[in-house]
Amino acid sequence: MTEVGLFEAMYTARALRRLKPDPVPDELITRVLDAAIRAPSGGNAQNWVFIVVRDEAQRHRLGAVYRKASDEVAEIYAARGRPAHLTDEQYQRLMAGGSYLWDHIGDAPVLLLPCLRKREMPPRDALPDEVAARYDAHLIHQEKIRGSSIYPAVQNIILACRALGLGTLITTNHILYEDEVRAILRLPDDVFTFALMPIGYPLGRYGPVARRPVSEVAFADRWGDRWSG
Amino acid sequence: MTEVGLFEAMYTARALRRLKPDPVPDELITRVLDAAIRAPSGGNAQNWVFIVVRDEAQRHRLGAVYRKASDEVAEIYAARGRPAHLTDEQYQRLMAGGSYLWDHIGDAPVLLLPCLRKREMPPRDALPDEVAARYDAHLIHQEKIRGSSIYPAVQNIILACRALGLGTLITTNHILYEDEVRAILRLPDDVFTFALMPIGYPLGRYGPVARRPVSEVAFADRWGDRWSG
């Protein structure tokens, strides 16, 4: 099999919400994970853990939490309404896909949960005075940047699935009831989930991902000056 | 030019901290951005904005903030010490590379800052009672998942740079002094930066990224049961 080109993978890795129940060989999941861990993480700490859920009872427990959280999140979507850059048809399709997923996520043959172990801040008195004085600012900073050490790996998972003929997408609604998810997975107190990714052979097709063009979302040097590269 | 394969790009996209000052053609940056926006975002909202800083004065202003923040963050690294999975040599190399970057980030020909516009929560009274009652939980949830709508695009930037012969990496230290960065870029009140990515032609080489193996970081079905795919 010829390797899928990088740009081809990035441009066709659609969010695939409809998956076949057929099992996915463990070797393929291992290849996906081996690609995931090539991503960067802050200070190269690699504080990640990936939970691969194949057990049916576990999948359905997670699916029930996802469903409960999604019912609430749906109300926020409804109150916000359609984003301006989506056509009505695109928006209806997105909502229909979401709704399908809320009912069926536990039926995917694999649910993958990328997690991070929280890095402890050193105690205040282990730091020089001028840093210790800004301890709270550092705590906030560490919260803000946490996702930078796991979502790059998540994107590698999406791209690797595309290359291997698998479908997946990022979902995060379950984090609204994170404690229930953490109990199901028996995560230690300092480990948190960042995504719930159903993986399976897709019923739908890969295809071009439509986006707002670069000219609308890029600026040169500062806000307001259009990028015209 | 043959397109770089997906796995080749993922496995060789090292964090390249030493960059040539030579200018990068605007068309290449546009290709990188066009790859970035193929990434997913929550609800396909695409609330991202990318600021491409080429102006020397702007680069040096950002570099000064990055330097100031990094001097503090370095003390936290020092207090934590070497992560167990890195050899002493790997750790020294990481620290030396970081230190070089703190001095030179403003000399990179391009500084790219991926940003997100914060999505407002709908007002409490626009939501059904049972969701309104959990309004604070939803606010926390939205904070937690924000990075999932921008760091996948950041990983696409890293991979696209690799394919186009450019070097880059994710840095986040500047977020410790985010208000100063936002003033330099004249960002509106609801727009925040998530990374500062120097981009240029690399002095170093692409190369295999060494990582803790999958067998150490993956579990089957729940915490503690080793994944042995």
Side-chain angles (χ1 to χ4, degrees), chain A residues 13-93:
Chain A
R14 285 206 308 119
L16 291 164
R17 294 179 179 81
R18 293 178 170 85
L19 304 171
K20 298 178 188 171
D22 313 38
V24 174
D26 290 353
E27 307 81 65
L28 285 193
I29 298 298
T30 299
R31 285 189 67 188
V32 168
L33 295 176
D34 201 61
I37 63 170
R38 304 302 144 182
S41 58
N44 197 13
Q46 305 170 51
N47 279 348
W48 44 45
V49 171
F50 301 88
I51 317 271
V52 184
V53 180
R54 295 166 301 182
D55 178 75
E56 189 177 355
Q58 284 288 77
R59 285 190 279 116
H60 286 149
R61 283 181 201 113
L62 293 168
V65 177
Y66 182 70
R67 175 65 206 240
K68 176 169 71 168
S70 297
D71 284 340
E72 287 185 33
V73 172
E75 299 291 350
I76 292 171
Y77 272 81
R80 276 192 181 129
R82 174 171 63 84
H85 63 277
L86 296 182
T87 65
D88 202 51
E89 192 200 329
Q90 286 174 321
Y91 185 63
Q92 293 309 329
R93 217 183 317 140

Side-chain angles (χ1 to χ4, degrees), chain B residues 127-156:
Chain B
L127 296 167
D129 288 350
E130 65 277 16
V131 181
R134 289 177 33 80
Y135 201 81
D136 291 344
H138 281 276
L139 287 175
I140 292 167
H141 179 237
Q142 304 234 330
E143 282 302 322
K144 282 186 183 169
I145 67 176
R146 193 151 285 135
S148 70
S149 290
I150 191 70
Y151 290 117
V154 167
Q155 180 64 3
N156 275 8

